[in-house]
Amino acid sequence: DIIRTRKDATARALDEALISDSIGHTIIWLQGMGTRFALADNHREVAVRIRDKFRKMGYPDARLDSFNITRKWNSVLYSQQQYNVIAELRGSRYHDSVMIIGAHYDAMVGPEDPFIRTPGADDNASGTAAMMEIARVMRMKNYRPLSSIQFIAFGAEELGLLGSYDYAGRIGPSGRFVKLMINNDMIGYVSSSNPVTWKVNIINYDNATELLEKSRSMCNLYTDIKYTNDNTDYNRSDSYSFFLNNYKAVFFISGSLNLYYHSLSDTYLFCNFDFCREVAALSCALLVWSDTHEL
């Protein structure tokens, strides 16, 4: 029908505008901040730089969303403000309904000192960069969703999903209806340069099995990669916070195990920007096709 034809054309136009090198530049930019460890002295500066990048894309109302944490690290007690970064594309019809696409921007290494350096290219500059590339393309193409879309870079995920859990607990009481949450975490690494082998792992939750089916369909229609469905790590990223608050969520992660996880070698040199773009295309198409009042 007409609506399905229009959605397909919109999804393809947006997906075709996503650029691998643009995602790569953002990954390199985030890695270049030195450390993105949540407890480091520069943690607010990192959030401000992400906010300002959203503003330059055409989201003048991009903002810091603060929350307080108390956390002991190496016998030192830290009590401080942390920050999610939020940019919003306001819905043309159902602006109180919101679809969230998120990725955490903080990073970790071990056993080295994370206060000094955490490149975190795959974990999780890759997800942050993909989310920001979708935001860039939607603004550039003047996309007008029916429901609002929030692009959220979550803070303090590596300390226990703290940013997403705080936000997921507050958005409902604030009067917004969350239609779904899409999480991108570690979508930059593949074990082979051969695209035939590339797989995204679609992690789903018990309250939203339809998102698994829809994600599989989007993957087939709008990407050149295959998918798998291994829910082992369902509780290890920000989508879990939304599930705990009874929201529908889906979590995209590479199907390849990154050998450089939480190490100083997790740099852009081991990220495949083309694969990252394919997962971004999957997320983008899922947003377009989920933009109905009925979901």
Side-chain angles (χ1 to χ4, degrees):
D1 59 21
I2 294 175
I3 293 177
R4 292 182 65 85
T5 302
R6 187 180 300 138
K7 280 187 181 294
D8 180 63
T10 300
R12 292 191 186 282
L14 291 172
D15 287 355
E16 287 169 5
L18 299 168
I19 300 174
S20 300
D21 283 349
S22 178
I23 293 172
H25 288 150
T26 301
I27 291 173
I28 294 167
W29 173 73
L30 286 163
Q31 180 183 319
M33 293 183 188
T35 181
R36 301 193 313 280
F37 181 50
L39 298 177
D41 289 341
N42 71 334
H43 70 273
R44 188 179 190 279
E45 176 192 344
V46 170
V48 167
R49 291 179 68 181
I50 294 171
R51 179 201 67 188
D52 291 349
K53 192 173 182 72
F54 272 126
R55 289 181 175 177
K56 288 178 182 176
M57 288 178 188
Y59 295 87
D61 297 328
R63 61 187 173 88
L64 302 187
D65 175 74
S66 62
F67 58 98
N68 295 311
I69 70 165
T70 300
R71 183 68 191 265
K72 184 173 282 191
W73 186 267
N74 287 347
S75 302
V76 177
L77 189 66
Y78 295 84
S79 293
Q80 57 184 217
Q81 275 199 321
Q82 291 285 332
Y83 307 93
N84 301 320
V85 188
I86 304 173
E88 182 164 331
L89 195 59
R90 187 175 171 85
S92 61
R93 189 175 303 170
Y94 313 114
H95 54 83
D96 287 338
S97 293
V98 61
M99 300 181 291
I100 295 171
I101 177 165
H104 76 89
Y105 66 87
D106 64 312
M108 178 73 78
V109 297
E112 297 85 2
D113 187 350
F115 287 90
I116 297 173
R117 182 169 169 243
T118 60
D122 183 35
D123 187 19
N124 183 36
S126 65
T128 304
M131 177 263 294
M132 297 184 82
E133 177 68 0
I134 294 168
R136 181 190 72 83
V137 164
M138 285 187 170
R139 179 60 83 195
M140 179 187 73
K141 291 287 189 179
N142 198 29
Y143 177 58
R144 295 287 308 280
L146 297 173
S147 299
S148 299
I149 299 174
Q150 285 187 340
F151 305 93
I152 308 182
F154 289 109
E157 188 265 2
E158 298 286 7
L159 299 181
L161 319 184
L162 300 184
S164 58
Y165 190 74
D166 178 84
Y167 190 71
R170 285 188 290 112
I171 187 169
S174 76
R176 306 298 292 272
F177 170 70
V178 179
K179 296 171 71 170
L180 80 161
M181 188 274 180
I182 301 170
N183 181 37
N184 285 264
D185 195 352
M186 296 182 68
I187 59 167
Y189 180 82
V190 282
S191 55
S192 168
S193 60
N194 183 357
V196 174
T197 68
W198 294 353
K199 284 185 180 179
V200 59
N201 185 19
I202 303 170
I203 295 177
N204 70 295
Y205 298 88
D206 293 343
N207 66 339
T209 53
E210 74 275 14
L211 280 180
L212 172 61
E213 296 308 315
K214 187 173 281 190
S215 297
R216 285 169 167 165
S217 175
M218 297 298 100
C219 197
N220 288 332
L221 285 169
Y222 300 104
T223 83
D224 293 323
I225 57 177
K226 298 179 178 66
Y227 58 80
T228 186
N229 174 221
D230 178 356
N231 290 333
T232 303
D233 294 327
Y234 74 99
N235 61 349
R236 296 188 61 187
S237 192
D238 291 313
S239 44
Y240 185 57
S241 298
F242 286 84
F243 167 69
L244 290 177
N245 281 272
N246 298 314
Y247 297 123
K248 297 177 180 181
V250 66
F251 170 14
F252 300 141
I253 184 171
S254 172
S256 297
L257 179 67
N258 190 337
L259 304 176
Y260 309 110
Y261 173 71
H262 283 186
S263 81
L264 293 176
S265 296
D266 181 13
T267 71
Y268 73 90
L269 296 174
F270 298 106
C271 282
N272 189 303
F273 304 151
D274 291 331
F275 176 76
C276 203
R277 197 214 79 88
E278 293 298 308
V279 183
L282 167 59
S283 293
C284 187
L286 185 58
L287 285 170
V288 171
W289 279 92
S290 299
D291 188 28
T292 64
H293 191 48
E294 291 75 32
L295 183 64

